[in-house]
């Protein structure tokens, strides 16, 4: 299968290449004589931010979706200003999605994240689909869907988003690109090659 690399090469690869791993120093490393090492969490946090930025570009470039946060991704919710990951409209339906690469939160984090989705959904007051978007899973496993659906929250995978947003790549092309082009870049950033 021949990839149409131009869109992914042009929009995703530069974002990932721009990740600058931080070094971590800790008393444990110091005591063990290990000095500073590359911080894996800094790479994963940066990856999450970059992949969110990429998907906002995909939404903006879509012919079927209107990206509602191109200019400003902040919303006043109660007395707090909240950052929106993805907010877009397809026909009469608005989608508000929080981008999460890892859906295995601790119990306190999951409560706060679910509450954020509910609070923002209530504030938007439109015909709305809301939940988490996991940009590193083609389809969300039933066990994860059940876990979140039982708390009243939806979870969307890449196929779900590509079903409503016309992208310039397929799900298969996207994951092949992640494996073959992004994976090696991340390995270098993590210092594991």
């Amino acid at each position: 299968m021949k990839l149409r690399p131009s869109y992914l090469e042009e929009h995703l690869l530069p974002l990932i290449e721009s990740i600058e791993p931080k070094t971590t120093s800790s008393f444990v490393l110091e005591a063990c004589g290990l000095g500073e090492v590359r911080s894996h969490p800094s790479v994963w946090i940066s990856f999450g931010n970059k992949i969110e930025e990429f998907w906002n570009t995909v939404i903006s470039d879509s012919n079927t979706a209107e990206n509602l946060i191109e200019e400003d991704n902040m919303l006043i919710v109660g007395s707090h200003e909240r950052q929106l990951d993805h907010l877009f409209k397809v026909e009469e339906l608005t989608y508000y999605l929080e981008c999460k690469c890892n859906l295995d939160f601790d119990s306190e984090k999951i409560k706060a994240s679910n509450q954020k989705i509910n609070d923002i959904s209530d504030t938007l007051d439109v015909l709305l689909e809301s939940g988490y978007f996991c940009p590193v899973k083609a389809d969300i496993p039933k066990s994860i869907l059940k876990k979140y659906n039982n708390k009243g929250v939806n979870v969307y995978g890449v196929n779900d988003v590509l079903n409503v947003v016309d992208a310039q790549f397929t799900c298969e092309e996207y994951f092949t690109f992640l494996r073959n082009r992004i994976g090696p870049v991340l390995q270098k950033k993590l210092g594991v090659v």
Side-chain angles (χ1 to χ4, degrees):
M1 177 180 137
K2 184 170 181 340
L3 282 179
R4 288 176 284 171
S6 60
Y7 191 88
L8 296 168
E9 290 277 344
E10 182 179 337
H11 296 285
L12 181 55
L13 187 60
L15 290 172
I16 302 306
E17 288 176 333
S18 73
I19 293 172
E20 292 293 330
K22 296 178 178 149
T23 56
T24 185
S25 63
S26 73
F27 294 143
V28 172
L29 292 172
E30 182 182 318
C32 295
L34 299 175
E36 293 184 344
V37 296
R38 288 185 184 174
S39 167
H40 287 209
S42 76
V43 172
W44 299 132
I45 290 166
S46 294
F47 176 83
N49 292 335
K50 299 297 184 178
I51 205 82
E52 176 186 321
E53 183 179 337
F54 168 73
W55 278 96
N56 271 315
T57 300
V58 171
I59 293 164
S60 292
D61 290 346
S62 169
N63 290 319
T64 60
E66 176 187 359
N67 191 344
L68 301 174
I69 57 171
E70 278 184 343
E71 302 295 321
D72 183 13
N73 68 345
M74 302 304 284
L75 177 72
I76 300 296
V77 178
S79 61
H80 298 89
E81 191 172 47
R82 305 302 300 258
Q83 184 256 330
L84 305 176
D85 291 354
H86 304 295
L87 183 66
F88 59 96
K89 189 172 183 176
V90 177
E91 296 176 359
E92 298 303 313
L93 189 58
T94 300
Y95 293 82
Y96 161 58
L97 304 175
E98 278 294 308
C99 191
K100 298 289 182 204
C101 293
N102 180 4
L103 295 167
D104 191 21
F105 305 143
D106 64 44
S107 60
E108 292 301 313
K109 174 89 169 150
I110 197 169
K111 286 178 190 174
S113 293
N114 290 350
Q115 190 61 52
K116 177 183 178 185
I117 288 173
N118 291 332
D119 290 348
I120 289 174
S121 296
D122 291 344
T123 300
L124 291 170
D125 195 32
V126 293
L127 184 56
L128 185 70
E129 286 285 328
S130 65
Y132 296 104
F133 168 48
C134 185
V136 291
K137 291 295 281 180
D139 299 295
I140 305 302
K142 288 182 182 179
S143 61
I144 292 174
L145 283 174
K146 182 179 178 182
K147 173 183 171 181
Y148 282 90
N149 290 165
N150 285 343
K151 293 178 178 22
V153 178
N154 293 318
V155 183
Y156 303 89
V158 172
N159 273 320
D160 297 315
V161 171
L162 291 179
N163 283 333
V164 295
V165 172
D166 67 322
Q168 297 180 34
F169 53 88
T170 66
C171 188
E172 185 178 344
E173 288 171 330
Y174 173 72
F175 282 100
T176 298
F177 191 81
L178 286 180
R179 275 189 305 279
N180 296 339
R181 296 287 284 138
I182 301 304
V185 171
L186 289 175
Q187 285 181 319
K188 288 180 186 170
K189 302 279 182 192
L190 293 167
V192 294
V193 288

